[in-house]
Amino acid sequence: MQTTIVEVFDKILANNDKEAQTNREFLNKHNILCINLMSSPGSGKTTLLESTIKTGKFRLAVVEGDLETNNDANRIITAGAQAYQITTGQTCHLDALEVRRGLENLSLQEVDFVFVENIGNLVCPASYDVGAHINVVLLSVVEGSDKIAKYPVMFKRADAVVITKSGLLEHFDFDIEQAKRDCKELNPNVEFLVLDSKTQQGFQSWLTFLESTLKSHK
């Protein structure tokens, strides 16, 4: 029985990977960089995007993923960017076909970035390629620095790890240096950023990361 389950899951992932590659080819054709944002619920993905939009430095659109509600998409639209909400009901991740539906419902002329704001958890989204070029994982100070070691698959697949809500560091037992060491042990080439989207502390490092990543892509 276990062997059958594994085989079915492998087939599902293989089919998803084909669709993800189709998404990347579509994005490449339009010269758009796609970033997959992953994290636990409440780590600050939407707030990070809102702050990025309000700088006016980048032209971006967002595919939003949640189990229910259009709340996050509405926040992105209010901030000044396009957004398409996908609600999955019970599924704990977005897949490549769902992201394609989002792409098809966005106007992608004169867009530099498409962000996929994945469903909040540190497990399922790590297994599904959605067609993004870059994986960014957020971890808030409130969650604790031990989460990197507890959920290594997610952080191992990250091209960048962003520690958020850094303005709260004095109130929580979060070891920045240990978090950085744990990330680098899983992926020596990972970018490691520390910021607070509300206070703008360290936020320039995020903008610089986007600028350099976009330049390399183009």
Side-chain angles (χ1 to χ4, degrees):
M1 186 65 172
Q2 183 64 34
T3 301
T4 302
I5 293 172
V6 171
E7 288 175 350
V8 170
F9 185 61
D10 286 346
K11 184 176 181 180
I12 290 171
L13 289 181
N15 290 337
N16 181 78
D17 288 347
K18 290 179 182 178
E19 302 298 340
Q21 184 57 32
T22 299
N23 288 352
R24 257 187 299 275
E25 290 170 359
F26 171 81
L27 291 160
N28 289 340
K29 182 179 178 181
H30 290 80
N31 203 26
I32 295 171
L33 180 65
C34 184
I35 296 181
N36 185 19
L37 288 182
M38 298 179 285
S39 75
S40 298
S43 67
K45 295 189 296 299
T46 310
T47 303
L48 177 67
L49 289 174
E50 287 175 315
S51 296
T52 304
I53 293 163
K54 290 175 182 178
T55 66
K57 290 180 176 293
F58 307 103
R59 303 171 299 178
L60 58 90
V62 182
V63 177
E64 285 285 351
D66 278 302
L67 270 65
E68 296 292 348
T69 82
N70 295 327
N71 294 351
D72 288 350
N74 291 338
R75 286 174 60 183
I76 295 300
I77 293 168
T78 299
Q82 298 179 71
Y84 183 80
Q85 183 75 54
I86 296 173
T87 53
T88 64
Q90 296 183 349
T91 308
C92 58
H93 61 85
L94 292 179
D95 63 28
L97 277 174
E98 289 169 325
V99 170
R100 184 177 307 163
R101 175 155 53 91
L103 295 174
E104 291 171 349
N105 282 277
L106 293 168
S107 178
L108 298 178
Q109 292 79 15
E110 300 184 354
V111 168
D112 298 314
F113 289 99
V114 168
F115 283 88
V116 176
E117 185 176 346
N118 221 310
I119 293 171
N121 74 78
L122 289 175
V123 183
C124 306
S127 298
Y128 284 81
D129 185 355
V130 295
H133 300 97
I134 301 290
N135 290 321
V136 174
V137 178
L138 276 59
L139 178 67
S140 73
V141 165
V142 179
E143 296 171 77
S145 49
D146 62 326
K147 298 303 181 293
I148 298 166
K150 287 184 175 181
Y151 299 93
V153 175
M154 175 69 76
F155 290 93
K156 187 174 184 178
R157 295 186 178 177
D159 298 289
V161 172
V162 181
I163 305 301
T164 61
K165 306 184 182 181
S166 62
L168 299 174
L169 274 168
E170 62 180 300
H171 303 292
F172 289 89
D173 186 18
F174 190 101
D175 190 333
I176 289 287
E177 292 305 316
Q178 184 61 54
K180 185 175 183 178
R181 286 194 296 271
D182 288 346
C183 285
K184 292 289 185 178
E185 184 176 332
L186 291 168
N187 180 359
N189 298 317
V190 72
E191 294 273 354
F192 187 84
L193 311 176
V194 181
L195 58 82
D196 192 302
S197 299
K198 290 285 190 181
T199 66
Q200 299 293 293
Q201 176 185 357
F203 197 74
Q204 183 58 47
S205 65
W206 167 247
L207 299 180
T208 300
F209 168 75
L210 293 181
E211 288 170 353
S212 61
T213 305
L214 183 61
K215 183 179 180 180
S216 298
H217 178 70
K218 288 186 179 296

